Amino acid sequence: MDLQIRNELQVGDIGSIIYLHGFLYAKEHGYDYTFEAYVAEPLAQFAKRNNPREKIWIVEGDDKVLGSIAVCEASKNEAQLRWFLVSPELRGQGMGKRLIQSLLDFAIDQGYESISLWTVKGLEAAKTIYTSFNFILTEEIEHNIWGGIHSEQKYFLELTLG
């Protein structure tokens, strides 16, 4: 499969990213349709902002979106990692680490001092990647969302600038 990673949104990308998240999280973790809305709303705002300190990486192969990751500006000094997902057919091949490294390089170039992300307990492959980049778990909240009881986890990384 010929893969490319691009940073410009194209027609259909927003819908594809929402679909991929909704479909995979429903299949793999039992989430309901409300998870798609959770992904859709901030992704739409991201697309409309066109902030130069924010960036998205879209993995494409065979004319379909197979993964994504983005950095969003949480504050002048803190970035947030969003919409990190790699399709099952690409997992275990280093694509997730490649995406996170690209995102961290960009965040440092933009002068962010730290980066955080929210995920859910039980995503062991993602957790392994995050901790390999020295993200640390700083918060955990359990609540009824996306059709069940889930524990959201916040990870944080202090960035080394320069």
Side-chain angles (χ1 to χ4, degrees), residues 31-43:
Y31 289 17
D32 70 9
Y33 67 92
T34 61
F35 184 68
E36 287 179 273
Y38 172 79
V39 173
E41 190 172 356
L43 183 56

Side-chain angles (χ1 to χ4, degrees), residues 83-97:
W83 311 300
F84 178 48
L85 185 64
V86 175
S87 291
E89 62 262 40
L90 298 182
R91 292 178 186 163
Q93 301 175 33
M95 181 57 72
K97 287 183 178 180

Side-chain angles (χ1 to χ4, degrees), residues 5-146:
I5 300 174
R6 55 183 168 78
N7 302 112
E8 296 80 29
L9 285 169
Q10 296 177 359
V11 172
D13 285 344
I14 294 170
S16 293
I17 292 168
I18 295 164
Y19 172 80
L20 188 60
H21 276 74
F23 178 79
L24 288 177
Y25 277 84
K27 181 179 177 184
E28 296 174 357
H29 306 287
Y31 289 17
D32 70 9
Y33 67 92
T34 61
F35 184 68
E36 287 179 273
Y38 172 79
V39 173
E41 190 172 356
L43 183 56
Q45 294 303 315
F46 168 87
K48 293 193 291 187
R49 276 194 304 270
N50 198 26
N51 181 339
R53 295 189 76 213
E54 299 181 322
K55 191 173 188 176
I56 193 164
W57 290 258
I58 299 165
V59 182
E60 186 177 61
D62 295 337
D63 294 322
K64 65 180 184 175
V65 173
L66 298 173
S68 63
I69 195 169
V71 63
C72 296
E73 184 176 37
S75 71
K76 179 180 179 285
N77 297 321
E78 185 176 341
Q80 184 179 6
L81 185 158
R82 304 288 311 252
W83 311 300
F84 178 48
L85 185 64
V86 175
S87 291
E89 62 262 40
L90 298 182
R91 292 178 186 163
Q93 301 175 33
M95 181 57 72
K97 287 183 178 180
R98 183 175 167 191
L99 290 172
I100 289 184
Q101 187 62 63
S102 296
L103 178 139
L104 293 176
D105 291 344
F106 176 80
I108 290 167
D109 287 348
Q110 293 303 308
Y112 290 112
E113 296 173 5
S114 62
I115 189 163
S116 63
L117 66 95
W118 282 94
T119 187
V120 291
K121 190 174 187 174
L123 301 181
E124 293 307 315
K127 176 186 169 184
T128 299
I129 293 173
Y130 299 142
T131 57
S132 77
F133 283 94
N134 299 315
F135 280 87
I136 55 169
L137 178 63
T138 60
E139 193 174 340
E140 189 166 344
I141 305 166
E142 184 176 277
H143 43 177
N144 190 351
I145 50 174
W146 314 316

